[in-house]
Amino acid sequence: MPETSPLELHRAYRRLFETADGRTVMADLERRGCFMRPTYSTDRGRTEFNEGRRSLVLHVKQMLEPENFIEKENNR
């Protein structure tokens, strides 16, 4: 599959997560990804695992923020 430009990838994230199903999936990712709760655990390796999950949620949320791509959109 050919590589997608960052701007097109941003648009794809937005199209996907602006749907009702996308919002449902985002809510699930936020719950599972420790988005609104601490990631610390006394279990060995669990904090790192939780941070990995949280990092993915943060990435998706960044891809949904139009402000992160305004310059790319304007320079298109």
Side-chain angles (χ1 to χ4, degrees):
M1 178 160 48
E3 189 171 330
T4 306
S5 76
L7 184 56
E8 285 304 315
L9 188 58
H10 162 70
R11 288 177 176 157
Y13 270 79
R14 300 267 323 233
R15 285 190 302 269
L16 178 68
F17 282 98
E18 286 177 348
T19 67
D21 285 343
R23 288 187 292 275
T24 299
V25 169
M26 177 55 77
D28 182 59
L29 290 173
E30 288 176 357
R31 277 190 300 279
R32 294 173 186 270
C34 306
F35 184 66
M36 298 299 287
R37 62 186 168 89
T39 58
Y40 176 76
S41 175
T42 57
D43 294 340
R44 181 182 162 126
R46 189 66 180 180
T47 298
E48 291 85 356
F49 179 79
N50 290 344
E51 278 297 316
R53 283 182 158 189
R54 185 171 186 275
S55 175
L56 187 56
V57 174
L58 290 172
H59 170 73
V60 172
K61 289 187 138 330
Q62 178 187 13
M63 292 300 286
L64 298 176
E65 284 297 321
E67 296 80 26
N68 293 333
F69 293 88
I70 289 173
E71 184 178 325
K72 289 180 181 167
E73 183 76 38
N74 290 338
N75 291 332
R76 190 169 177 257

